C-alpha cells in the first residue's frame, strides 16, 4: 500500500502539515505540496465540440503520481470555511481527466482510500469544518473512493496545533495503523 | 445602490450565467467573469515577519472594483460540491487584504449585501448544494456581510437550466427587486 | 395519486399549516395533525430476543393510512433547529414497523414521493433549516423514498408567513402541479 | 462543578450509554434516562392569549434537576439521522419554560457547558451524524450554552461500540478531564 500526502496549505510548516507529519512519522510516503506546483484553474470544455485541450502545467504529472498511490491523505487548512483554493483546483481538474481516455480515472479513484486532515482556528473548526467534511464526503462518494476517516485540529499560528491533545491522540492512532499497512 | 455580478464559472454562456442574466435583465450592473482575470492562489504570509508581499496580477484592481459596489451577486456552478476554484481563490485572497492598511476591508465588506446563485445537475443540487450554502453563510457571517438570499438552479448542458421553472420564477422575483433598487 | 398532508406543528393555524393549505388549495387530500394523535415514543427492542411488542396508541392506524397515499407532504415548524418532537416520533416508530412482517414497510416507502414544508423565524430559516433538510434527505434516501422538493417559509406569529412572497410563489407552483396530479 | 448525564436512548445498556459510562467512570454525576420519565410533547401556546398551561408530567422536576448542574453530557443514538424523539421533546419543552417567570431559563442555560455523545451504525455516523451536530451547535448557540466537544461512536448491537478504538480513546481523554473538574 503506497501512501501519498497531499498538502493544500499555502504556507510551509503550518498546522495541517504538522499533524500530517505526526500521522506519517516513520511511515514511507510521498509528499506533495500543491503550492509548489503550477496548477491552472480548469477551463470547462465539457460541452465544447472539440472537448478539453491539453494544459501545459504540472497537473498531469501530479495526477499520474497521485494515481500510483493507494492511500491518499488530504491535508488542508480551513480557508474561508472550505478547502484551500490550491486543493479545490486539484479536484476541479479531475473533470477534464474523467473524459481523457488515456486515464481510466473513475475506476482508479474507486480503488483508493482517503483520509482527511483539516486545521482551523476560530470559530471552532470542530463545528465550522463540518460543511467541508460533507463536501469531501460527497466528492469521494461521487467517485466511489473510500472515505476512511477525518481529523480536525485546532490552531492558528504555526505550531499552535501542538496544544490540541485530542488531535494528537488521533494522529497516533492513525500512525499505528499506517505503520502496519 | 450599485450592483456587481461576479461569475465563477470557467465557461461562458453556462447555466449560472443564464440565471444571473435573467435576474439582472434591464438592471444596470457591472459584470466580471473571474475566468477572464489572472488571479493567483494566495501565498499565506500571515505569520511571516515581513508579512504579505505585493502580488502582480489582476486581483487588486478587481477588489477595488468589487468594493465600489453595494450589492454583489455571486454566481457559481457547483464544481465538485463546492464553488469553482476561481471563486474560491477570490475569497482566499481576502486574507491578504484584511491585513492591508490601504483597504479597510472588513468594515467595507460589512456594508455589502450578498446574493448567491448556484447551478448544478446530479445529484440534485437542491440538496447537494447545501454544504456550499452553509460555507457562503459562514463566510458572510465572518465578515458581517448581509446574506440576503440564494437561488439553486438545475441544469448541466448550456441552456438546460431554462427548464427549471422554479428557478426562473425566483429570478423574476429578484429581478423585480433589483429593478426598484 | 392520493395525497396526504402530515402536519407536525403543535399548534393549529400556524405558518406551516397556512403554507400547506395554500399548496393544497382545491386539491383533494387527507390531512393529519400529528398533535391530535396519541403517539408514544419508541421503545427500541431491536436487540431484545422477544422483539418489539404491540403498542396501544394511534400509530398503527395512522401508519396504515399513511401507506395508503402516494404523495406525502410533511409540514413542520423548525423547533429547536429540527422537526417537531411530534414528527420525530412519527419517524422513530418506523423502526418497529420495518421489522413487522404484516407490513412490507421498506418496499412501500420506496414507492412514495415526499414534499417538505418548513417554517421558521430567527435566525433566517433559509440557512438555519438546512441541517434539517439534510436530515430529511438522509431519511428519504435510507428508505428509497423520492424527495421531490422542499419549501422554506419565514414567519413566527400565526399568519406572518403571508408576507413571505417567495414562499407563496412556490406554493402556487406546487399547487399547479398537485391540481394536475 | 456538578455533572449530569442525559440519556436519550430508548433502550438500556445501549452503545451511547456504554460510551457515556466510560466517559464518567469514577466521576460523580447524576444520571437521567429520559425514557424512564413521562414527558409529553409540547403544546405550543406562545401565541395564545392565555399563554402556556401547566403540564402534569415529569418534565418540570427534571428541568429543575437539569438546571442544578453545570456540565451536561447529552448522549443519544442516531435515530433516523437525528436525536431520539425522547431527547427532541426535552428540548421542545424549553420553549414553554423560556416564557415562565419562575425560571430564568435563558440566563441559566448560558452558564452551562455541553458535551455530546452520538452513536450510530450505517451509514457511517462520522458523516451521517454531522447534520445532528450542527443542530446541537445551533441549539447551544441560541441559548449561549458552551458546546465544548462531541464524540461519535460506531456500533449497532449492544456492546458493538467497544470495537471503536477511536471513540474509546476519546472517552478516556474526556474521563481524565472530568475527574479533575
Amino acid at each position: 500500500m503506497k501512501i501519498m500526502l497531499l498538502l493544500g496549505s499555502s504556507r510551509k510548516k503550518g498546522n495541517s502539515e504538522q499533524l500530517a507529519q505526526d500521522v506519517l512519522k516513520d511511515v514511507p510516503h510521498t509528499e506533495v505540496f500543491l503550492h509548489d506546483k503550477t496548477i491552472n484553474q480548469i477551463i470547462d470544455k465539457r460541452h465544447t465540440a472539440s472537448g478539453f485541450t491539453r494544459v501545459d502545467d504540472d497537473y498531469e504529472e501530479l495526477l499520474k503520481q497521485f494515481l500510483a498511490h493507494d492511500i491518499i491523505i488530504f491535508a488542508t487548512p480551513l480557508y474561508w470555511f472550505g478547502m484551500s483554493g490550491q486543493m479545490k483546483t486539484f479536484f476541479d481538474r479531475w473533470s477534464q481527466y474523467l473524459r481523457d481516455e488515456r486515464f481510466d480515472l473513475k475506476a482508479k479513484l474507486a480503488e483508493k482510500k482517503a483520509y482527511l486532515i483539516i486545521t482551523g482556528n476560530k470559530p471552532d473548526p470542530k463545528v465550522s469544518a463540518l460543511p467541508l467534511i460533507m463536501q469531501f464526503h460527497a466528492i469521494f462518494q461521487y467517485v466511489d473512493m473510500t472515505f476512511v476517516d477525518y481529523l480536525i485540529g485546532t490552531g492558528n499560528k504555526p505550531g499552535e496545533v501542538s496544544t490540541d491533545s485530542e488531535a494528537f491522540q488521533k494522529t497516533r492512532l492513525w500512525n499505528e495503523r499506517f505503520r502496519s499497512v
Side-chain angles (χ1 to χ4, degrees), chain A:
Chain A
M1 299 284 259
K2 294 179 71 185
I3 298 174
M4 174 181 252
L5 170 61
L6 210 60
L7 292 154
S9 177
S10 77
R11 72 168 194 248
K12 298 283 171 87
K13 310 282 177 205
N15 289 304
S16 54
E17 182 180 351
Q18 194 178 331
L19 284 174
Q21 299 301 1
D22 217 62
V23 160
L24 291 169
K25 196 160 186 280
D26 300 324
V27 176
H29 68 278
T30 306
E31 195 170 308
V32 170
F33 234 109
L34 290 173
H35 182 58
D36 290 338
K37 306 287 178 184
T38 300
I39 304 179
N40 298 347
Q41 299 286 0
I42 194 167
I43 303 175
D44 182 3
K45 297 193 172 172
R46 284 175 296 156
H47 309 288
T48 310
S50 53
F52 282 97
T53 43
R54 209 183 164 292
V55 181
D56 187 25
D57 63 5
D58 298 335
Y59 190 75
E60 189 163 312
E61 208 48 53
L62 170 59
L63 188 65
K64 283 179 185 164
Q65 201 183 5
F66 174 90
L67 292 175
H69 292 79
D70 310 291
I71 293 173
I72 316 292
I73 301 171
F74 296 90
T76 180
L78 197 64
Y79 281 175
W80 294 99
F81 305 96
M83 66 181 85
S84 70
Q86 285 87 345
M87 191 166 274
K88 185 56 178 36
T89 303
F90 174 84
F91 286 107
D92 283 0
R93 291 286 294 279
W94 278 3
S95 298
Q96 172 161 359
Y97 287 90
L98 282 170
R99 285 158 190 82
D100 188 325
E101 292 180 357
R102 295 171 303 149
F103 292 75
D104 192 12
L105 186 56
K106 193 143 188 185
K108 281 187 189 148
L109 289 174
E111 297 164 0
K112 313 225 168 290
K113 290 185 197 311
Y115 287 78
L116 173 61
I117 296 171
I118 300 174
T119 50
N121 185 32
K122 280 184 186 173
D124 185 356
K126 283 200 298 280
V127 170
S128 62
L130 300 188
L132 179 55
I133 290 170
M134 288 173 169
Q135 181 184 0
F136 272 102
H137 168 70
I139 291 172
F140 297 144
Q141 194 174 48
Y142 190 80
V143 296
D144 275 324
M145 210 162 151
T146 307
F147 186 11
V148 185
D149 205 359
Y150 57 82
L151 188 166
I152 303 171
T154 304
N156 182 23
K157 292 186 193 161
E160 238 177 53
V161 79
S162 320
T163 62
D164 183 343
S165 55
E166 188 195 321
F168 272 97
Q169 203 184 38
K170 193 158 176 174
T171 63
R172 283 188 293 274
L173 205 70
W174 284 16
N175 182 255
E176 283 169 39
R177 196 185 299 175
F178 289 134
R179 279 169 193 253
S180 59
V181 151

